Amino acid sequence: MNDMTRPIGRAMPRAAARRHAAGRGRFVDDIAPAGCLHVAFLRSPHAHARILSIDLTAALDLPGVVDAFDGPACAELCKPWIGTLDHFPGLRSPEQHALAVGVARWSGEPVAAVVATSRAIAEDALDLIEAEFEELPAVTDIEAALDPEGVRIHENYDSNLAFRLDLNAGEPDAAFAGAAAIVERSFRFNRQTGVTLEPRSLLADFQPGTGELTVHHSTQTPYQMHDVYSRHFGIPEERVRVVAPDVGGSFGLKLHVYGEEMATVAASIRLGCPVKFIADRYESFLTDIHLRDHRVRARMAVAADGEILAMEVDDATGIGPFSVYPRTSAVEGNQAIRLMGAPYRMQSYKGTLSVLFQNKAPTCQYRAVGHPIACMATEALVDAAAGALGLDPLDIRRRNVVPDDAYPYRTANGYMLEGLSHQACLEKLAALMDYDALRRDQAEARARGVHRGIGLAVFVEITNPGPAFYGVGGARISAQDGCTVKLEPSGAFSIAISITEQGQGTEAIAAQIAADRLGVSPERISVVSGDTRTTPYGGATWASRGAGIGGVAVMKAAEAMRANLLDLAGTILQASPEALDIREGVIVDAETGTERMSLAELGRILYFRPDTLPPGTHPLLTVSGHHVPQGYPFAFTNGIQASHVEVDPDTGLVKLLGHWVVEDCGTIINPLLVDEQIRGGVVHGIGGALFEECNYSPEGQLLSTTLADYLVPLASEMPDIRIAHVATPTKTSPLGAKGVGEAGTAASGAALLNAVNDALSPFGAVLAETPLSPERVLRALGKV
Amino acid sequence: MTLDARTDMPVSLTVNGRRTAGIVPVRQTLAGYLREELGLTAVHLGCEQGSCGACTVRVDGEVMRACLVLAVQAEGCVVETPEGFSGDPAMDRLRERFATRNALQCGFCTGGMLVAARDLLAREPRPSRHAIREAISGHVCRCTGYEAIVDAIEAASHGGTAP
């Protein structure tokens, strides 16, 4: 892995970084075709309302306005959708339209569209629409949504329950009956949203002459959207093209179907010209998916020696009025309830998940889906158990993690773990952070009246999902990925990949893997991604599947190309292909390293003088490779994080002093990019635990609609983050790489929560609601 | 004169060293004008509320949010966008360090960060890490967690190891 002559394992900057640093990024809003029109949306002012009438006449009269339409008109072009999948038995959700038809079910839901020559004129016209609504009672609170006598959001359903899941493993009742101690917490994890800095953006261009639709879309999943546009607008698949140019952050937010985006395509079809939709920040807060709205009651049974015997968890989560299409809104709760206790040997578990409709913005999968919920609940209980038994938090974890030699291992909730390294990570973390010294510092600071806390959080991360994730449930989301490699006449290569780039470095690691197998420097590989017309079909980038699945496709394609080139070189050089190798762009004698011919010379002959090859030789100079993850449904990774904080008991302010991560993502392709993925992920998790909250009024009006109200982490509030690795390559792939995109986010909030509670332990104060705002800290201290 | 938001007015600016002249609706922001009329699309709009910092430019030497300034308010001003700063060694060092340290992922915040960092280095050639963190705290980055950006600015400063 540390072979510096091989591209895999080398810390290398990304080519794209230079382009962005020079101010030459190209995002959807930077593309401005001639005749491009702009769309703006009228939105429901109420959380729940019957739409009585929408009169577009005055809006259409405004100079510059080209078109305006409401939900029923949009539905004539765009088929509605239902966000359910078969592998969540019982999951229900009604038909959803691009623009609401009949009833609006959250404040901000789009109900009509105006298309004009500029966004400003389209917004002017929105003020001229005469819309009448009859306000209906709204269900916003999770407890109210559970109430069988309460208001129902969907008239045809007998309750607001979208999905329920009960898990029962081992003998939880006996474990609790025989426990030396039982610890219990009631958690409230408040709603967050993603805040990608580039808002959702789309440019739809329907060609009336040919019936072709091209969509430039800020999306992670161009193939999924290609399929959605084809089926919902009735356009043959071969006449659709989706292009994702630079994507300004996504984190899971830009892979769901949004009404505005479908309505923008409908507008382009109605008008036969390009139409652009760029969400503004207000619209982003109102209509981007939200996430992690959970009320969790959880308890843990422990033996006198600290062994964790069982957990019992009741998780109720609000998902807004619809299960989001096409991935459903059941996945977050499903993963939260199944990941509880996953790092530990505990084999008894009882879990109940209630997924509930409410009149708020829809929630769906987002970076580290379900992980932070499971991790915060589990790790807070582990600390509570340690406190109840007088054990050190590090020690109780040492006693309970699944040992490194116990794999493969099946968790209480049925996840099959191929090979994790909790023990190695734990010891590495203790040394990295100098745990004992920090504990001494804590005691000394307390004596001075300074309240510092240390929090630990062990995690298991789901990566490299196979077809079990969506495909088996009926979703048309590819579980395989592909790569095409083309030899250029100069001996360079260009590759086209189905995994996509949102800044994490997908293109860079693909170039490194291809270069590694082709015997050239990564600079000699150009990469195309994000265009459904010019790249192989695939699942793209989500759930930390880029390197682990798409990377193997690149490896296979590059190996096939290499075999072809060695065959052809062998023919020319009258040598056996096995006796040859490609090193630094040159065909060499494998044994001695003596140069036989350059790739440039080989390329020249193959493209321009194939007449000099033996008759019947037709060189295959463009080859593809595909990869399907098999064997295990997922490649799990693991790690541990630690947070060090100082809490001011007078103001309730939490100051982050340090943060540490030890993580195991298997083979590391590019350490520079892996560490920055982890750091970014850690800060996402800290944001959720410390600052970020979608605040709604009881009537269902979103109150936090600016970055002054919805607080995201800023540089001055974040600590430096130290990272170390343990590498357990997965045997399920020849590359050995697992994912790393969720690791940081999975456990940083849990470590922070534990650190804050540790700091406040002299006061007997316990926080179990996030974000850990100053007000909540002061409440826990009984000061307000 | 009463002005309707849609009234057009002439505006002339010097942008990245070039003189420009145009006619804009008075409600057009400087950011909108730079992006839509001059094609300077490194001026990114992340919030249009003055909070995120992605549209930061330099106007007559002062760092400003181009989403909070109307184009007509900048009449006669010298404007520098992230595409500019040509021949500026400090900006060259910053660009280089941002790329080599991977101090950006999606790149959407990068232009604003670079302009803010350039402004910091003009005021403080050897800023501490704390000063760097304070100086970029008006800029949201959702990808990096900020540390790599702090490292890159530190390396590009005279206190750093940059050439």
Side-chain angles (χ1 to χ4, degrees):
Chain A
M1 167 124 65
N2 293 320
D3 180 356
M4 293 308 289
T5 63
R6 295 286 294 269
I8 290 179
R10 215 191 291 167
M12 299 179 67
R14 302 179 295 130
R18 290 192 182 279
R19 193 164 51 77
H20 287 294
R24 293 299 301 274
R26 188 166 181 265
F27 299 88
V28 169
D29 197 21
D30 303 341
I31 303 166
C36 185
L37 301 175
H38 302 263
V39 62
F41 294 96
L42 181 74
R43 301 179 178 283
S44 171
H46 306 294
H48 196 187
R50 205 173 304 285
I51 303 168
L52 299 178
S53 65
I54 297 178
D55 183 350
L56 302 166
T57 318
L60 281 162
D61 280 347
L62 186 73
V65 171
V66 180
D67 192 15
F69 54 94
D70 61 8
C74 191
E76 289 172 21
L77 286 170
C78 178
K79 289 192 199 84
W81 54 85
I82 297 176
T84 61
L85 290 171
D86 297 342
H87 61 320
F88 293 112
L91 171 63
R92 60 182 178 176
S93 187
E95 273 192 347
Q96 187 179 0
H97 288 274
L99 304 176
V101 172
V103 177
R105 291 186 174 87
W106 85 89
S107 172
E109 183 175 7
V111 298
V114 175
V115 186
T117 51
S118 76
R119 167 79 187 215
I121 292 172
E123 287 186 21
D124 290 344
L126 294 182
D127 292 341
L128 302 174
I129 296 176
E130 303 226 4
E132 269 190 282
F133 296 89
E134 176 197 341
E135 196 173 352
L136 301 170
V139 182
T140 55
D141 180 79
I142 286 177
E143 298 299 339
L146 273 168
D147 180 359
E149 306 301 316
V151 172
R152 291 202 307 272
I153 292 170
H154 299 294
E155 284 172 359
N156 301 337
Y157 290 170
D158 58 353
S159 72
N160 291 318
L161 191 70
F163 180 63
R164 188 182 159 98
L165 178 67
D166 291 290
L167 299 172
N168 208 319
E171 295 179 11
D173 293 343
F176 276 95
I182 295 172
V183 288
E184 194 163 352
R185 290 269 187 279
S186 196
F187 300 96
R188 186 69 178 86
F189 304 114
N190 285 299
R191 232 171 215 259
Q192 301 163 226
T193 186
V195 193
T196 59
L197 203 54
E198 179 208 28
R200 288 191 288 117
S201 306
L202 180 130
L203 171 63
D205 190 359
F206 181 75
Q207 298 277 350
T210 61
E212 285 191 57
L213 173 71
T214 301
V215 183
H216 283 82
H217 193 171
S218 181
T219 177
Q220 287 172 250
T221 52
Y223 314 94
Q224 173 199 298
M225 294 313 301
H226 186 130
D227 176 75
V228 165
Y229 296 139
S230 169
R231 285 187 294 110
H232 287 271
F233 292 99
I235 303 171
E237 200 168 39
E238 65 277 15
R239 296 211 183 101
V240 177
R241 178 181 191 179
V242 178
V243 183
D246 285 331
V247 174
S250 187
F251 320 112
L253 192 149
K254 295 172 180 170
L255 48 64
H256 310 292
V257 169
Y258 292 93
E260 294 89 352
E261 298 175 10
M262 299 298 270
T264 304
V265 172
S268 180
I269 295 172
R270 283 167 67 97
L271 297 165
C273 67
V275 178
K276 189 187 271 189
F277 168 64
I278 310 292
D280 65 23
R281 189 51 58 190
Y282 176 64
E283 293 179 295
S284 301
F285 279 115
L286 286 176
T287 63
D288 286 358
I289 54 130
H290 291 182
L291 40 133
R292 297 180 193 143
D293 189 358
H294 291 249
R295 187 275 286 142
V296 178
R297 296 190 184 117
R299 55 189 199 134
M300 180 179 275
V302 284
D305 64 356
E307 184 188 350
I308 300 169
L309 303 171
M311 282 178 74
E312 193 176 322
V313 177
D314 176 8
D315 180 3
T317 177
I319 59 163
F322 297 98
S323 170
V324 172
Y325 183 69
R327 292 169 184 247
T328 85
S329 300
V331 179
E332 183 184 272
N334 181 59
Q335 290 193 176
I337 197 102
R338 288 179 192 274
L339 281 166
M340 298 273 178
Y344 301 111
R345 284 180 287 117
M346 165 197 96
Q347 281 291 317
S348 290
Y349 181 82
K350 192 191 279 188
T352 303
L353 171 69
S354 306
V355 176
L356 299 157
F357 295 120
Q358 24 157 221
N359 293 113
K360 293 182 177 177
T363 74
C364 204
Q365 285 82 294
Y366 187 79
R367 190 175 201 170
V369 183
H371 295 63
I373 304 299
C375 199
M376 282 195 274
T378 302
E379 294 301 300
L381 288 178
V382 172
D383 268 19
L389 297 170
L391 290 172
D392 180 87
L394 186 62
D395 193 36
I396 192 171
R397 288 175 172 84
R398 279 192 180 115
R399 293 180 192 206
N400 281 287
V401 290
V402 178
D404 294 357
D405 60 4
Y407 296 95
Y409 189 87
R410 185 182 292 277
T411 69
N413 293 320
Y415 280 136
M416 224 20 227
L417 310 174
E418 181 221 359
L420 304 184
S421 57
H422 290 303
Q423 290 175 316
C425 288
L426 223 120
E427 297 313 323
K428 201 162 196 172
L429 180 90
L432 182 73
M433 67 188 289
D434 201 346
Y435 183 79
D436 296 336
L438 282 185
R439 283 286 176 211
R440 286 194 296 274
D441 165 81
Q442 178 182 38
E444 181 267 328
R446 262 184 200 161
R448 287 187 284 121
V450 173
H451 296 280
R452 293 191 180 145
I454 300 160
L456 302 174
V458 182
F459 67 94
V460 165
E461 175 198 11
I462 298 174
T463 78
N464 293 8
F469 217 46
Y470 292 113
V472 297
R476 293 172 64 84
I477 298 168
S478 173
Q480 69 79 52
D481 277 275
C483 171
T484 296
V485 179
K486 177 174 70 168
L487 172 73
E488 303 290 354
S490 70
F493 296 91
S494 59
I495 66 173
I497 54 175
S498 63
I499 48 174
T500 51
E501 173 76 58
Q502 298 89 41
Q504 63 276 76
T506 302
E507 293 184 350
I509 61 129
Q512 282 177 264
I513 294 165
D516 191 83
R517 292 308 197 265
L518 288 165
V520 297
S521 133
E523 287 79 28
R524 297 237 69 200
I525 313 262
S526 64
V527 186
V528 176
S529 72
D531 181 342
T532 61
R533 185 152 292 173
T534 60
T535 61
Y537 200 97
T541 302
W542 43 271
S544 291
R545 63 190 299 291
I549 300 174
V552 181
V554 174
M555 196 196 78
K556 287 179 171 174
E559 285 178 350
M561 172 60 84
R562 172 196 163 81
N564 284 359
L565 295 180
L566 290 179
D567 265 347
L568 290 159
T571 303
I572 295 166
L573 299 167
Q574 299 195 320
S576 138
E578 294 77 43
L580 301 172
D581 194 7
I582 314 175
R583 293 177 199 159
E584 293 172 37
V586 174
I587 309 275
V588 298
D589 185 285
E591 205 164 296
T592 63
T594 309
E595 174 168 347
R596 299 296 306 271
M597 74 190 300
S598 68
L599 280 180
E601 175 60 6
L602 182 62
R604 186 191 66 79
I605 295 169
L606 297 177
Y607 281 109
F608 308 128
R609 293 304 308 274
D611 56 304
T612 63
L613 300 172
T617 308
H618 299 279
L620 200 55
L621 302 174
T622 305
V623 298
S624 292
H626 290 261
H627 182 68
V628 183
Q630 287 170 348
Y632 287 80
F634 311 100
F636 287 90
T637 77
N638 69 286
I640 178 167
Q641 300 196 21
S643 180
H644 188 210
V645 303
E646 189 172 300
V647 183
D648 184 335
D650 294 325
T651 62
L653 284 166
V654 175
K655 184 178 177 192
L656 279 64
L657 303 175
H659 198 96
W660 297 264
V661 182
V662 178
E663 185 275 350
D664 183 350
C665 61
T667 303
I668 293 177
I669 298 162
N670 185 327
L672 176 68
L673 305 186
V674 161
D675 285 359
E676 294 319 314
Q677 272 298 291
I678 293 172
R679 289 201 171 89
V682 164
V683 169
H684 258 217
I686 290 173
L690 199 52
F691 303 118
E692 300 181 33
E693 181 172 1
C694 295
N695 241 315
Y696 277 88
S697 74
E699 299 76 30
Q701 294 296 336
L702 185 62
L703 304 174
S704 44
T705 58
T706 73
L707 285 165
D709 305 298
Y710 185 95
L711 304 178
V712 297
L714 297 171
S716 55
E717 300 148 345
M718 291 300 107
D720 281 349
I721 298 161
R722 289 193 63 192
I723 296 168
H725 299 278
V726 170
T728 310
T730 173
K731 297 185 200 77
T732 60
S733 113
L735 194 56
K738 301 183 247 189
V740 73
E742 336 289 328
T745 308
S748 57
L752 180 64
L753 174 65
N754 280 349
V756 170
N757 280 328
D758 186 44
L760 296 180
S761 60
F763 302 96
V766 177
L767 281 115
E769 180 169 3
T770 58
L772 304 167
S773 61
E775 184 189 336
R776 290 194 180 112
V777 172
L778 293 176
R779 267 184 211 293
L781 287 165
K783 294 194 173 178
V784 291
Chain B
M1 179 169 80
T2 52
L3 280 182
D4 179 81
R6 276 163 270 183
T7 306
D8 286 333
M9 277 183 75
V11 61
S12 56
L13 312 169
T14 301
V15 182
N16 297 335
R18 295 181 196 170
R19 296 188 57 186
T20 67
I23 292 171
V24 298
V26 290
R27 67 177 171 183
Q28 170 88 292
T29 63
L30 177 60
Y33 181 66
L34 293 170
R35 287 182 54 81
E36 291 162 29
E37 304 304 322
L38 304 183
L40 295 167
T41 54
V43 179
H44 292 146
L45 291 169
C47 71
E48 297 167 271
Q49 296 163 342
S51 300
C52 81
C55 67
T56 301
V57 297
R58 212 156 67 170
V59 180
D60 282 351
E62 263 189 75
V63 166
M64 286 187 191
R65 306 280 155 117
C67 74
L68 295 184
V69 182
L70 296 175
V72 293
Q73 287 178 296
E75 167 64 26
C77 291
V78 174
V79 177
E80 286 149 291
T81 73
E83 291 96 336
F85 296 88
S86 130
D88 178 276
M91 187 57 106
D92 289 347
R93 287 202 305 275
L94 283 164
R95 292 193 211 277
E96 176 66 17
R97 291 297 174 162
F98 267 62
T100 55
R101 179 58 188 87
N102 201 44
L104 61 101
Q105 290 181 29
C106 80
F108 205 78
C109 73
T110 308
M113 285 283 186
L114 285 167
V115 174
R118 179 65 192 88
D119 182 58
L120 170 69
L121 295 187
R123 290 182 280 114
E124 275 184 72
R126 293 170 197 274
S128 66
R129 288 179 75 77
H130 177 74
I132 295 170
R133 284 189 178 274
E134 290 292 328
I136 59 169
S137 273
H139 296 257
V140 172
C141 169
R142 290 294 271 171
C143 298
T144 64
Y146 301 106
E147 187 169 332
I149 298 173
V150 176
D151 289 347
I153 296 171
E154 189 178 35
S157 74
H158 286 297
T161 51

